[in-house]
Amino acid sequence: ESAVVSGITLDRSEAKLSVIRVPDRPGIAYRILSPLAEAAINVDMIIQNASSEGYTDFTFTLPKVDLPKARQLVEFVAREIEALEVRADNNIAKVSAVGTGMKNHPGVAARMFKALADENINIQMISTSEIRISCVIEAKYGELAVRILHEAFNLANGA
Amino acid sequence: ESAVVSGITLDRSEAKLSVIRVPDRPGIAYRILSPLAEAAINVDMIIQNASSEGYTDFTFTLPKVDLPKARQLVEFVAREIEALEVRADNNIAKVSAVGTGMKNHPGVAARMFKALADENINIQMISTSEIRISCVIEAKYGELAVRILHEAFNLANGA
Ligand SMILES: C[C@@H](O)[C@H](N)C(=O)O
Ligand SMILES: C[C@@H](O)[C@H](N)C(=O)O
């Protein structure tokens, strides 16, 4: 699988906002996101897993500089939709394995997760596409994660 | 934002497996995924949101044909890691807006979510990258979702 991964990227510029326990019914995702779009806040990753008992969490990452404004907007919506709370986290890094045709190489994600686990780096969030596997981890592990992933995928440092 | 979205894709070939309430500690993601990789099961989307009280859900999509085998493997791991349960869903479709530089156009996701909400289509899962916003919805809404998203983004049908 090493041939599939062409590089490792690290993004330390983002923060995370989660709206906890939102009702899983049509219109909720729009209500959370549209004030952010109107405020021209560049939302990056959006992660929402399947619901349990009619509720789920709605999380997104964004530039750290936009966190105070975004939090204010989202807290207003959270109250309106009667979500449980809004949680912000300024202490994250996003590390990604980038490549092509990841879908047909299930071993790639397994290898990435193993490399992080072997260093005891906890994976807080996971989001994937055909060309990228992204893990959100604690910010302080960012450079270490990049180094071990370069090793895990036989990439020269700087790839 | 219409210029940013170049096409809408629909994938009806996948099923979803969720491992509910897994401990949020290093090694868990690897333990769930590695048996699947060893069985050469092509896992597509992996979604894991941030944890609450030390637990989170781990979800992935895969070809429907692989669901019985994958479910068996994952149920074994779920018992080992003392997750709450494994849930399978064979009734999903993945609809995606594809484009470039989505990150710098926050209105794109908002417009997509609004279009689905206006048709009362519930968004079960969301996963995004710079070039794609994917929503998992109930399978029966697949074609309708594609049609309304073509309209929402001013794309000719077939784009
Ligand atoms: C939670 C949120 O995504 C909701 N299901 C919606 O469709 O908007
Ligand atoms: C839940 C799972 O992702 C865990 N946090 C891990 O690092 O493996």
Side-chain angles (χ1 to χ4, degrees):
Chain A
E1 296 91 5
S2 337
V4 171
V5 174
S6 57
I8 306 297
T9 66
L10 179 67
D11 189 342
R12 306 191 54 135
S13 70
E14 299 188 334
K16 174 192 89 185
L17 264 175
S18 290
V19 191
I20 305 296
R21 211 169 176 272
V22 306
D24 184 22
R25 61 170 189 256
I28 294 294
Y30 174 68
R31 284 176 74 174
I32 295 170
L33 212 58
S34 94
L36 300 169
E38 280 175 38
I41 289 170
N42 287 340
V43 169
D44 180 22
M45 288 165 96
I46 300 170
I47 293 185
Q48 177 198 307
N49 209 335
S51 62
S52 279
E53 283 107 48
Y55 293 93
T56 186
D57 300 335
F58 186 99
T59 299
F60 57 91
T61 64
L62 74 166
K64 284 182 177 176
V65 64
D66 293 325
L67 183 60
K69 176 73 181 156
R71 183 173 198 165
Q72 191 178 32
L73 291 168
V74 168
E75 279 175 346
F76 185 81
V77 176
R79 276 190 294 274
E80 283 189 327
I81 62 178
E82 299 185 328
L84 181 64
E85 62 176 329
V86 173
R87 288 181 200 155
D89 186 349
N90 222 347
N91 187 29
I92 60 165
K94 180 174 73 165
V95 64
S96 306
V98 182
T100 48
M102 303 275 215
K103 189 166 157 180
N104 299 319
H105 293 88
V108 173
R111 187 187 291 203
M112 181 178 191
F113 298 162
K114 181 175 203 309
L116 296 170
D118 286 349
E119 291 292 333
N120 231 25
I121 296 171
N122 194 48
I123 302 166
Q124 299 177 1
M125 287 159 54
I126 302 168
S127 180
T128 65
S129 72
E130 282 225 32
I131 60 169
R132 175 186 289 263
I133 302 166
S134 290
C135 292
V136 169
I137 60 177
E138 198 178 340
K140 69 181 181 184
Y141 296 120
E143 282 83 14
L144 174 61
V146 170
R147 208 154 50 240
I148 64 177
L149 289 171
H150 277 139
E151 273 173 45
F153 290 102
N154 298 324
L155 296 165
N157 253 312
Chain B
E1 297 89 6
S2 338
V4 171
V5 175
S6 57
I8 306 298
T9 65
L10 179 67
D11 189 343
R12 304 191 54 136
S13 70
E14 300 188 332
K16 174 192 90 184
L17 264 175
S18 290
V19 191
I20 305 297
R21 211 168 176 273
V22 305
D24 184 23
R25 61 169 190 257
I28 294 294
Y30 175 68
R31 284 177 74 174
I32 295 169
L33 212 58
S34 93
L36 301 168
E38 279 176 39
I41 290 170
N42 287 340
V43 169
D44 179 22
M45 289 166 95
I46 300 171
I47 293 183
Q48 177 198 306
N49 209 336
S51 62
S52 280
E53 284 107 49
Y55 293 92
T56 186
D57 299 334
F58 186 99
T59 299
F60 57 91
T61 64
L62 74 167
K64 283 181 177 177
V65 64
D66 293 326
L67 183 60
K69 175 74 182 155
R71 182 173 199 166
Q72 190 178 33
L73 291 167
V74 168
E75 280 175 344
F76 185 81
V77 176
R79 276 189 296 274
E80 283 190 325
I81 63 178
E82 298 185 330
L84 181 64
E85 61 176 329
V86 173
R87 287 181 200 154
D89 186 350
N90 221 348
N91 186 30
I92 61 166
K94 180 175 72 164
V95 64
S96 306
V98 181
T100 48
M102 303 275 215
K103 189 165 155 180
N104 298 320
H105 292 88
V108 173
R111 187 188 292 203
M112 181 178 191
F113 299 161
K114 179 174 206 308
L116 296 170
D118 286 350
E119 292 292 332
N120 230 25
I121 296 171
N122 194 47
I123 302 167
Q124 299 178 1
M125 288 159 55
I126 302 168
S127 179
T128 66
S129 71
E130 281 225 33
I131 60 169
R132 175 186 290 263
I133 302 166
S134 290
C135 291
V136 170
I137 61 177
E138 197 178 341
K140 68 182 181 185
Y141 295 121
E143 282 81 15
L144 175 60
V146 171
R147 209 154 48 241
I148 64 177
L149 289 172
H150 276 139
E151 274 173 44
F153 290 103
N154 298 325
L155 296 166
N157 252 311

mmCIF file of all heavy atoms in Angstrom, chain B residues 94-119:
data_model
loop_
_atom_site.group_PDB
_atom_site.id
_atom_site.type_symbol
_atom_site.label_atom_id
_atom_site.label_comp_id
_atom_site.label_asym_id
_atom_site.label_seq_id
_atom_site.Cartn_x
_atom_site.Cartn_y
_atom_site.Cartn_z
ATOM 1 N N LYS B 94 -25.283 7.401 -1.238
ATOM 2 C CA LYS B 94 -24.345 8.495 -0.962
ATOM 3 C C LYS B 94 -24.432 9.477 -2.122
ATOM 4 O O LYS B 94 -24.176 9.107 -3.272
ATOM 5 C CB LYS B 94 -22.909 7.960 -0.834
ATOM 6 C CG LYS B 94 -21.901 9.061 -0.543
ATOM 7 C CD LYS B 94 -20.486 8.518 -0.284
ATOM 8 C CE LYS B 94 -19.817 8.002 -1.528
ATOM 9 N NZ LYS B 94 -18.360 7.827 -1.364
ATOM 10 N N VAL B 95 -24.830 10.707 -1.830
ATOM 11 C CA VAL B 95 -24.905 11.729 -2.872
ATOM 12 C C VAL B 95 -23.830 12.773 -2.575
ATOM 13 O O VAL B 95 -23.647 13.181 -1.423
ATOM 14 C CB VAL B 95 -26.324 12.340 -2.953
ATOM 15 C CG1 VAL B 95 -26.709 13.076 -1.681
ATOM 16 C CG2 VAL B 95 -26.449 13.262 -4.158
ATOM 17 N N SER B 96 -23.067 13.123 -3.602
ATOM 18 C CA SER B 96 -21.938 14.031 -3.398
ATOM 19 C C SER B 96 -21.975 15.192 -4.378
ATOM 20 O O SER B 96 -22.304 15.005 -5.551
ATOM 21 C CB SER B 96 -20.605 13.282 -3.580
ATOM 22 O OG SER B 96 -20.541 12.133 -2.763
ATOM 23 N N ALA B 97 -21.606 16.356 -3.870
ATOM 24 C CA ALA B 97 -21.347 17.510 -4.734
ATOM 25 C C ALA B 97 -19.844 17.548 -4.915
ATOM 26 O O ALA B 97 -19.094 17.555 -3.932
ATOM 27 C CB ALA B 97 -21.840 18.795 -4.073
ATOM 28 N N VAL B 98 -19.423 17.558 -6.169
ATOM 29 C CA VAL B 98 -18.002 17.475 -6.487
ATOM 30 C C VAL B 98 -17.554 18.789 -7.106
ATOM 31 O O VAL B 98 -18.269 19.384 -7.913
ATOM 32 C CB VAL B 98 -17.752 16.309 -7.469
ATOM 33 C CG1 VAL B 98 -16.278 16.187 -7.790
ATOM 34 C CG2 VAL B 98 -18.280 15.007 -6.885
ATOM 35 N N GLY B 99 -16.381 19.252 -6.730
ATOM 36 C CA GLY B 99 -15.905 20.505 -7.302
ATOM 37 C C GLY B 99 -14.480 20.762 -6.872
ATOM 38 O O GLY B 99 -13.754 19.833 -6.524
ATOM 39 N N THR B 100 -14.072 22.014 -6.903
ATOM 40 C CA THR B 100 -12.721 22.341 -6.430
ATOM 41 C C THR B 100 -12.805 23.509 -5.464
ATOM 42 O O THR B 100 -13.721 24.321 -5.543
ATOM 43 C CB THR B 100 -11.807 22.751 -7.597
ATOM 44 O OG1 THR B 100 -12.505 23.712 -8.391
ATOM 45 C CG2 THR B 100 -11.447 21.568 -8.457
ATOM 46 N N GLY B 101 -11.857 23.546 -4.553
ATOM 47 C CA GLY B 101 -11.777 24.684 -3.636
ATOM 48 C C GLY B 101 -13.026 24.913 -2.815
ATOM 49 O O GLY B 101 -13.388 26.038 -2.498
ATOM 50 N N MET B 102 -13.679 23.821 -2.449
ATOM 51 C CA MET B 102 -14.927 23.923 -1.670
ATOM 52 C C MET B 102 -14.695 24.677 -0.355
ATOM 53 O O MET B 102 -15.569 25.364 0.148
ATOM 54 C CB MET B 102 -15.448 22.525 -1.317
ATOM 55 C CG MET B 102 -15.687 21.634 -2.508
ATOM 56 S SD MET B 102 -17.320 21.938 -3.193
ATOM 57 C CE MET B 102 -17.729 20.281 -3.725
ATOM 58 N N LYS B 103 -13.497 24.489 0.183
ATOM 59 C CA LYS B 103 -13.187 25.078 1.492
ATOM 60 C C LYS B 103 -13.389 26.585 1.480
ATOM 61 O O LYS B 103 -13.774 27.181 2.473
ATOM 62 C CB LYS B 103 -11.733 24.736 1.796
ATOM 63 C CG LYS B 103 -11.222 25.047 3.170
ATOM 64 C CD LYS B 103 -9.902 24.294 3.350
ATOM 65 C CE LYS B 103 -8.988 24.925 4.351
ATOM 66 N NZ LYS B 103 -7.734 24.127 4.469
ATOM 67 N N ASN B 104 -13.091 27.201 0.369
ATOM 68 C CA ASN B 104 -13.186 28.661 0.311
ATOM 69 C C ASN B 104 -14.552 29.138 -0.148
ATOM 70 O O ASN B 104 -14.722 30.312 -0.478
ATOM 71 C CB ASN B 104 -12.095 29.204 -0.600
ATOM 72 C CG ASN B 104 -10.719 28.854 -0.045
ATOM 73 O OD1 ASN B 104 -10.505 28.910 1.152
ATOM 74 N ND2 ASN B 104 -9.815 28.451 -0.910
ATOM 75 N N HIS B 105 -15.509 28.231 -0.205
ATOM 76 C CA HIS B 105 -16.863 28.593 -0.606
ATOM 77 C C HIS B 105 -17.848 27.968 0.367
ATOM 78 O O HIS B 105 -18.531 27.001 0.031
ATOM 79 C CB HIS B 105 -17.129 28.101 -2.032
ATOM 80 C CG HIS B 105 -16.308 28.824 -3.056
ATOM 81 N ND1 HIS B 105 -15.042 28.410 -3.419
ATOM 82 C CD2 HIS B 105 -16.560 29.949 -3.760
ATOM 83 C CE1 HIS B 105 -14.546 29.249 -4.323
ATOM 84 N NE2 HIS B 105 -15.441 30.190 -4.547
ATOM 85 N N PRO B 106 -17.917 28.515 1.589
ATOM 86 C CA PRO B 106 -18.773 27.902 2.615
ATOM 87 C C PRO B 106 -20.236 27.838 2.194
ATOM 88 O O PRO B 106 -20.975 26.997 2.684
ATOM 89 C CB PRO B 106 -18.596 28.833 3.829
ATOM 90 C CG PRO B 106 -17.966 30.078 3.308
ATOM 91 C CD PRO B 106 -17.219 29.717 2.075
ATOM 92 N N GLY B 107 -20.628 28.677 1.261
ATOM 93 C CA GLY B 107 -22.020 28.637 0.808
ATOM 94 C C GLY B 107 -22.385 27.369 0.077
ATOM 95 O O GLY B 107 -23.565 27.032 -0.042
ATOM 96 N N VAL B 108 -21.396 26.647 -0.420
ATOM 97 C CA VAL B 108 -21.698 25.430 -1.191
ATOM 98 C C VAL B 108 -22.364 24.384 -0.308
ATOM 99 O O VAL B 108 -23.417 23.832 -0.653
ATOM 100 C CB VAL B 108 -20.415 24.846 -1.830
ATOM 101 C CG1 VAL B 108 -20.718 23.499 -2.481
ATOM 102 C CG2 VAL B 108 -19.856 25.817 -2.860
ATOM 103 N N ALA B 109 -21.772 24.095 0.815
ATOM 104 C CA ALA B 109 -22.362 23.091 1.713
ATOM 105 C C ALA B 109 -23.740 23.558 2.184
ATOM 106 O O ALA B 109 -24.693 22.777 2.225
ATOM 107 C CB ALA B 109 -21.445 22.837 2.906
ATOM 108 N N ALA B 110 -23.842 24.842 2.515
ATOM 109 C CA ALA B 110 -25.130 25.363 2.979
ATOM 110 C C ALA B 110 -26.196 25.182 1.903
ATOM 111 O O ALA B 110 -27.327 24.772 2.181
ATOM 112 C CB ALA B 110 -24.999 26.846 3.350
ATOM 113 N N ARG B 111 -25.834 25.470 0.666
ATOM 114 C CA ARG B 111 -26.800 25.322 -0.434
ATOM 115 C C ARG B 111 -27.196 23.859 -0.617
ATOM 116 O O ARG B 111 -28.359 23.536 -0.877
ATOM 117 C CB ARG B 111 -26.207 25.888 -1.722
ATOM 118 C CG ARG B 111 -27.229 25.912 -2.856
ATOM 119 C CD ARG B 111 -26.637 26.291 -4.180
ATOM 120 N NE ARG B 111 -26.196 27.687 -4.233
ATOM 121 C CZ ARG B 111 -26.064 28.359 -5.371
ATOM 122 N NH1 ARG B 111 -26.354 27.772 -6.516
ATOM 123 N NH2 ARG B 111 -25.622 29.604 -5.365
ATOM 124 N N MET B 112 -26.237 22.964 -0.498
ATOM 125 C CA MET B 112 -26.531 21.529 -0.641
ATOM 126 C C MET B 112 -27.486 21.074 0.466
ATOM 127 O O MET B 112 -28.481 20.387 0.210
ATOM 128 C CB MET B 112 -25.223 20.726 -0.575
ATOM 129 C CG MET B 112 -25.414 19.234 -0.739
ATOM 130 S SD MET B 112 -23.791 18.361 -0.720
ATOM 131 C CE MET B 112 -24.327 16.715 -1.263
ATOM 132 N N PHE B 113 -27.173 21.468 1.690
ATOM 133 C CA PHE B 113 -28.002 21.047 2.816
ATOM 134 C C PHE B 113 -29.406 21.640 2.701
ATOM 135 O O PHE B 113 -30.394 20.984 3.047
ATOM 136 C CB PHE B 113 -27.374 21.467 4.151
ATOM 137 C CG PHE B 113 -26.016 20.872 4.433
ATOM 138 C CD1 PHE B 113 -25.185 21.454 5.384
ATOM 139 C CD2 PHE B 113 -25.561 19.748 3.761
ATOM 140 C CE1 PHE B 113 -23.930 20.916 5.666
ATOM 141 C CE2 PHE B 113 -24.309 19.206 4.030
ATOM 142 C CZ PHE B 113 -23.488 19.799 4.983
ATOM 143 N N LYS B 114 -29.496 22.865 2.203
ATOM 144 C CA LYS B 114 -30.806 23.500 2.072
ATOM 145 C C LYS B 114 -31.653 22.763 1.033
ATOM 146 O O LYS B 114 -32.845 22.517 1.246
ATOM 147 C CB LYS B 114 -30.656 24.968 1.679
ATOM 148 C CG LYS B 114 -32.013 25.663 1.516
ATOM 149 C CD LYS B 114 -31.883 27.154 1.256
ATOM 150 C CE LYS B 114 -33.130 27.890 1.717
ATOM 151 N NZ LYS B 114 -34.391 27.342 1.182
ATOM 152 N N ALA B 115 -31.022 22.412 -0.086
ATOM 153 C CA ALA B 115 -31.749 21.728 -1.157
ATOM 154 C C ALA B 115 -32.341 20.417 -0.645
ATOM 155 O O ALA B 115 -33.497 20.075 -0.932
ATOM 156 C CB ALA B 115 -30.819 21.467 -2.340
ATOM 157 N N LEU B 116 -31.551 19.677 0.122
ATOM 158 C CA LEU B 116 -32.049 18.410 0.664
ATOM 159 C C LEU B 116 -33.136 18.653 1.705
ATOM 160 O O LEU B 116 -34.174 17.986 1.721
ATOM 161 C CB LEU B 116 -30.882 17.608 1.261
ATOM 162 C CG LEU B 116 -29.814 17.167 0.237
ATOM 163 C CD1 LEU B 116 -28.585 16.595 0.937
ATOM 164 C CD2 LEU B 116 -30.388 16.148 -0.741
ATOM 165 N N ALA B 117 -32.931 19.665 2.547
ATOM 166 C CA ALA B 117 -33.915 19.965 3.586
ATOM 167 C C ALA B 117 -35.249 20.388 2.980
ATOM 168 O O ALA B 117 -36.317 19.988 3.471
ATOM 169 C CB ALA B 117 -33.384 21.075 4.503
ATOM 170 N N ASP B 118 -35.176 21.157 1.902
ATOM 171 C CA ASP B 118 -36.412 21.639 1.272
ATOM 172 C C ASP B 118 -37.269 20.492 0.743
ATOM 173 O O ASP B 118 -38.483 20.643 0.577
ATOM 174 C CB ASP B 118 -36.089 22.616 0.134
ATOM 175 C CG ASP B 118 -35.643 23.972 0.668
ATOM 176 O OD1 ASP B 118 -35.772 24.210 1.885
ATOM 177 O OD2 ASP B 118 -35.139 24.792 -0.136
ATOM 178 N N GLU B 119 -36.643 19.366 0.453
ATOM 179 C CA GLU B 119 -37.381 18.172 0.020
ATOM 180 C C GLU B 119 -37.633 17.213 1.182
ATOM 181 O O GLU B 119 -38.060 16.074 0.970
ATOM 182 C CB GLU B 119 -36.595 17.427 -1.064
ATOM 183 C CG GLU B 119 -36.497 18.170 -2.384
ATOM 184 C CD GLU B 119 -37.842 18.269 -3.082
ATOM 185 O OE1 GLU B 119 -38.708 17.386 -2.878
ATOM 186 O OE2 GLU B 119 -38.024 19.236 -3.845
#
